[in-house]
Amino acid sequence: MAYYSIISVTPTSHDWMTDYVENANKAVAKYGGKYLARTRSFDRLEGEGENAVLQVIIEWPSKAAALDFMADPDYSPYLQARTEGSDSHHFLVEGKDDNA
């Protein structure tokens, strides 16, 4: 069953970004993840509040792969840099329809 990371990111500093992108790419690939979107181009269709600057969608082959990615000690310093240098919200969504 596929899982999807939905991540909304608004940087509060840009110091972390160059190192983060290169190393996050490697870590995502290591766990079989695939970027479906990394974009500043999006429209809010519903809800209120400030928009994040960047929306990221990653497809994972399993929940375990996504959780292993988040717990990877090699990725940890880059995750810490992102969370300290941004306002980020990360949701892990199971690719199923509970209402089908």
Side-chain angles (χ1 to χ4, degrees):
M1 172 78 54
Y3 277 75
Y4 300 89
S5 285
I6 312 296
I7 310 163
S8 299
V9 181
T10 299
T12 55
S13 81
H14 295 279
D15 301 340
W16 58 273
M17 295 177 76
T18 301
D19 285 342
Y20 179 85
V21 170
E22 178 182 342
N23 289 285
N25 289 349
K26 291 177 189 175
V28 166
K30 178 178 177 180
Y31 292 99
K34 176 184 174 186
Y35 285 101
L36 300 180
R38 283 187 282 186
T39 186
R40 296 171 188 259
S41 300
F42 59 91
D43 296 307
R44 180 189 295 262
L45 300 180
E46 190 174 345
E48 297 179 8
E50 289 192 38
N51 283 338
V53 171
L54 179 68
Q55 297 291 336
V56 179
I57 303 172
I58 304 169
E59 180 179 49
W60 300 102
S62 66
K63 184 177 185 177
L67 296 176
D68 289 347
F69 160 75
M70 291 297 292
D72 186 308
D74 293 332
Y75 173 63
S76 179
Y78 305 103
L79 174 60
Q80 181 178 350
R82 177 177 60 79
T83 57
E84 290 175 359
S86 71
D87 179 18
S88 297
H89 301 273
H90 184 169
F91 298 90
L92 185 59
V93 179
E94 186 174 7
K96 68 175 186 172
D97 184 350
D98 287 335
N99 295 316

